Amino acid sequence: MSFDPDIIGVVWLSLRVSIVAALIGLAIGAPTGAWMCMQADKRRRIWLAFFSTLLAVPTVVVGLLVYMLLSRSGPLGALELLFTPSAIIVAQAMITLPVVTVFAYRACAEPWNDYGEALRLDIRERWKQVLHLLRMARAGIIMAFLVAFGRAISEVGAVMIVGGNIKGATRVMTTAITLETRQGNFSFAVALGLVLLAISFAVTLTTWLIAQGRVDRV
């Protein structure tokens, strides 16, 4: 059962779209979080409150927003991305973006407080300061990516809305588990559940080990 082609296809698609979405969230959210550390106190609190609020937005609302954008009557309907893996990536990237931003901010806050003045004196360009700060906080940035990946691969509501749960095209682990459980195909659902559980455990363990390493250095 573990070598069922359907299971392998679902798992592969889940990993692919979730990794790409997490990388997009990382590419945008990590420098945004580092940039937030460099802002004045009042502006920084506003931005942090904004992205923290986005963390609480129900993912089905994100899915609905992406659906409206990508539908035929939406502004991006001409791209014909709805009910494709690309639509899932867009939805998951929107979900992971605030996750990465907040975690990156927390990771960069301490080194910026310690070395921010030195960076301002040594490096004039702001974007170079951001890159240097991200390198200093790379362990925290890796943690942000892992948390974002875990959030993406476990998502079901938004993925169901924009992907349509089409067999062989947009069916990922979470939507497949939901469907197969409703249809009474428990062996398939359990197999996928075990794979998803193993992935979640590996991500959690890796995140914990990185966090422990950071604590030990302190």
Side-chain angles (χ1 to χ4, degrees), residues 78-101:
L79 299 177
E80 298 184 351
L81 295 179
L82 195 61
F83 303 136
T84 67
S86 297
I88 298 177
I89 291 173
V90 172
Q92 288 185 341
M94 292 180 64
I95 293 171
T96 60
L97 175 58
V99 176
V100 176
T101 302

Side-chain angles (χ1 to χ4, degrees), residues 55-147:
L55 288 175
V57 174
T59 56
V60 290
V61 175
V62 176
L64 177 60
L65 175 61
V66 175
Y67 183 94
M68 294 172 63
L69 290 173
L70 300 181
S71 64
R72 289 185 177 181
S73 58
L76 301 179
L79 299 177
E80 298 184 351
L81 295 179
L82 195 61
F83 303 136
T84 67
S86 297
I88 298 177
I89 291 173
V90 172
Q92 288 185 341
M94 292 180 64
I95 293 171
T96 60
L97 175 58
V99 176
V100 176
T101 302
V102 172
F103 272 81
Y105 168 80
R106 294 173 180 172
C108 294
E110 184 177 347
W112 178 255
N113 289 335
D114 293 339
Y115 306 106
E117 289 301 324
L119 285 178
R120 286 195 182 100
L121 292 174
D122 295 340
I123 305 175
R124 174 174 294 184
E125 295 86 353
R126 180 59 62 91
W127 67 273
K128 290 184 178 180
Q129 295 176 8
V130 168
L131 290 179
H132 196 81
L133 186 58
L134 289 175
R135 285 196 294 268
M136 296 172 67
R138 57 185 175 274
I141 301 303
I142 294 174
M143 286 180 58
F145 169 79
L146 291 173
V147 173

Side-chain angles (χ1 to χ4, degrees), residues 14-214:
S14 301
L15 290 172
R16 180 162 57 90
V17 297
S18 298
I19 290 174
V20 172
L23 287 174
I24 293 173
L26 181 69
I28 301 173
T32 301
W35 172 82
M36 285 165 52
C37 295
M38 303 175 180
Q39 305 307 303
D41 289 343
K42 183 177 180 180
R43 186 179 300 177
R44 182 171 65 247
R45 287 195 296 268
I46 293 174
W47 279 110
L48 183 60
F50 172 74
F51 282 104
S52 297
T53 301
L54 291 181
L55 288 175
V57 174
T59 56
V60 290
V61 175
V62 176
L64 177 60
L65 175 61
V66 175
Y67 183 94
M68 294 172 63
L69 290 173
L70 300 181
S71 64
R72 289 185 177 181
S73 58
L76 301 179
L79 299 177
E80 298 184 351
L81 295 179
L82 195 61
F83 303 136
T84 67
S86 297
I88 298 177
I89 291 173
V90 172
Q92 288 185 341
M94 292 180 64
I95 293 171
T96 60
L97 175 58
V99 176
V100 176
T101 302
V102 172
F103 272 81
Y105 168 80
R106 294 173 180 172
C108 294
E110 184 177 347
W112 178 255
N113 289 335
D114 293 339
Y115 306 106
E117 289 301 324
L119 285 178
R120 286 195 182 100
L121 292 174
D122 295 340
I123 305 175
R124 174 174 294 184
E125 295 86 353
R126 180 59 62 91
W127 67 273
K128 290 184 178 180
Q129 295 176 8
V130 168
L131 290 179
H132 196 81
L133 186 58
L134 289 175
R135 285 196 294 268
M136 296 172 67
R138 57 185 175 274
I141 301 303
I142 294 174
M143 286 180 58
F145 169 79
L146 291 173
V147 173
F149 170 75
R151 180 78 180 273
I153 202 168
S154 61
E155 171 54 30
V156 59
V159 171
M160 186 78 76
I161 292 174
V162 303
N165 197 24
I166 303 171
K167 184 176 181 180
T170 60
R171 184 167 296 175
V172 296
M173 283 188 286
T174 51
T175 59
I177 290 171
T178 301
L179 177 64
E180 298 300 334
T181 301
R182 290 175 178 173
Q183 294 181 343
N185 190 0
F186 296 112
S187 60
F188 194 93
V190 169
L192 286 175
L194 291 175
V195 174
L196 184 59
L197 184 63
I199 293 173
S200 299
F201 176 77
V203 171
T204 302
L205 178 61
T206 304
T207 304
W208 180 80
L209 290 173
I210 294 174
Q212 286 298 111
R214 294 179 65 195

